[in-house]
Amino acid sequence: MGPKAQAAKKESVDGSDFVFYPPPRRIPPVVPLAACYTAVPDGEGESLAKAFLDHGAKAVVATETSVTDRYATELVGHLYKSLADGGTDIATATADARRAVQRDRATAWHF
């Protein structure tokens, strides 16, 4: 492999690399993790959610189980809408988002 190809080769990173070696900017205050098991500790007792909190996030929305892409996308969409509308804290916005997704799923014929 030539020098240009080596320079262009992408290095794979995982979630811990993102937390422990962030770009030269601060961690956002609220981090929604739309993925499975992001609140579950790994073999060393560390979860991705805890790592974000330890590195400066004020709040993390994470999961303790598997979630579908559709569920995660809808949850985060409702969460952002609730936060953007203002007048609520992250815990209330998360609870409202979960209820909205459940309501939407109960009334949608395609689920």
Side-chain angles (χ1 to χ4, degrees), residues 1 3 12 16 24 34 37 39 49 53 59 74 98 104:
M1 185 180 308
S12 67
S16 64
Y37 303 104
L53 291 169
E74 290 177 9
R98 289 183 66 186
D104 293 350

Side-chain angles (χ1 to χ4, degrees), residues 6-98:
Q6 285 180 340
K9 183 179 174 188
K10 293 186 179 184
E11 184 178 327
S12 67
V13 290
D14 63 16
S16 64
D17 291 329
F18 177 74
V19 172
F20 295 115
Y21 305 105
R25 61 183 179 267
R26 66 183 182 87
I27 299 287
V30 177
V31 179
L33 299 173
C36 303
Y37 303 104
T38 54
V40 176
D42 61 14
E44 298 175 13
E46 182 84 357
S47 70
L48 185 57
K50 184 177 180 318
F52 272 104
L53 291 169
D54 290 348
H55 285 83
K58 302 292 184 221
V60 176
V61 177
T63 64
E64 294 181 330
T65 188
S66 63
V67 293
T68 64
D69 290 343
R70 178 180 222 135
Y71 181 87
T73 301
E74 290 177 9
L75 179 75
V76 171
H78 283 291
L79 175 67
Y80 281 140
K81 182 180 180 331
S82 183
L83 291 173
D85 289 345
T88 190
D89 58 73
I90 188 68
T92 301
T94 302
D96 290 346
R98 289 183 66 186

